[in-house]
Amino acid sequence: MTRYIALLRGINVTGQPSVSMDDLKAYFGEVPGVENVVTYMLGGNVLFDAPLIDGATLVHTIETKLKQKLGYEVDIMLRLLSEMEEIVQNNPLTTIKTEEKNRLYVTFLSEVPAFDVRGSLGVYSNDAEYARVVNREVYIYSNNYGKTCFSNTFIEKKLGVKATTRNWATVNKMLEL
């Protein structure tokens, strides 16, 4: 069995019915082969064990189950636990002081963006916020993420892939779980 982390986009946000974490846990548990499901926070962070298979197949299976149960589509960015460890270890924003880690975010992408658009976020960077694309993640530093230009929608538009964002504390907490 392999440990996975599913990062759901659009769970418990304005415009969608809210989903309890107990229900979400139960829905994941109904997916064949999925075991040891743990949810973290209301934003749609789900850790689980499943046989190591093609990630796209697993994502499709889970997204289909969630659409059946919730009545609407939920996008999932799936990572292996080992990939999440690498995401933390490979943080390119290492110059951020410890007391500023609360301004660090990671946007998880559905796939590696096309090479010709990876640098497109740099144009929007400034002293208050900036972003770096590394593989299937965008590392963001922002003084005020609630007003950032680097929203999921903006990143999806610029990079042409689906995205969901978590703060640095949440990323690290999922590793502890």
Side-chain angles (χ1 to χ4, degrees), residues 108-119:
F108 297 88
L109 308 175
S110 58
E111 58 190 274
V112 176
F115 182 77
D116 61 334
V117 298
R118 288 185 210 165

Side-chain angles (χ1 to χ4, degrees), residues 10-162:
I11 290 288
N12 294 333
V13 295
T14 304
Q16 298 289 5
S18 59
V19 179
S20 78
M21 293 302 98
D22 288 339
D23 287 346
L24 190 59
K25 182 177 179 177
Y27 302 156
F28 267 75
E30 292 178 18
V31 175
V34 169
E35 300 175 357
N36 304 319
V37 180
V38 176
T39 59
Y40 177 66
M41 300 187 71
L42 293 174
N45 305 299
V46 183
L47 295 86
F48 62 93
D49 296 327
L52 183 60
I53 62 169
D54 173 62
T57 301
L58 186 54
V59 166
H60 176 73
T61 302
I62 296 169
E63 287 178 344
T64 300
K65 174 61 74 175
L66 292 179
K67 184 173 183 179
Q68 172 193 1
K69 293 294 188 175
L70 300 174
Y72 60 91
E73 291 185 14
V74 176
D75 294 322
I76 297 175
M77 289 1 108
L78 188 69
R79 300 295 186 269
L80 297 169
L81 179 61
S82 60
E83 290 175 314
M84 191 66 84
E85 291 167 346
E86 289 176 15
I87 290 164
V88 170
Q89 291 170 358
N90 296 332
N91 172 14
L93 306 180
T94 57
T95 60
I96 294 175
K97 298 173 186 166
T98 302
E99 62 271 13
E100 292 185 320
K101 294 284 186 188
N102 64 333
R103 297 178 182 163
L104 182 58
Y105 300 84
V106 179
T107 299
F108 297 88
L109 308 175
S110 58
E111 58 190 274
V112 176
F115 182 77
D116 61 334
V117 298
R118 288 185 210 165
S120 64
L121 301 180
V123 174
Y124 301 94
S125 295
N126 56 55
D127 290 341
E129 61 182 18
Y130 46 89
R132 303 288 182 274
V133 179
V134 179
N135 299 320
R136 293 186 299 160
E137 284 72 42
V138 179
Y139 295 82
I140 300 169
Y141 175 85
S142 178
N143 282 335
N144 185 352
Y145 189 77
K147 295 183 178 181
T148 186
C149 75
F150 298 116
S151 67
N152 287 332
T153 303
F154 177 82
I155 289 173
E156 288 176 338
K157 181 180 177 183
K158 292 296 178 188
L159 300 181
V161 296
K162 296 175 186 175

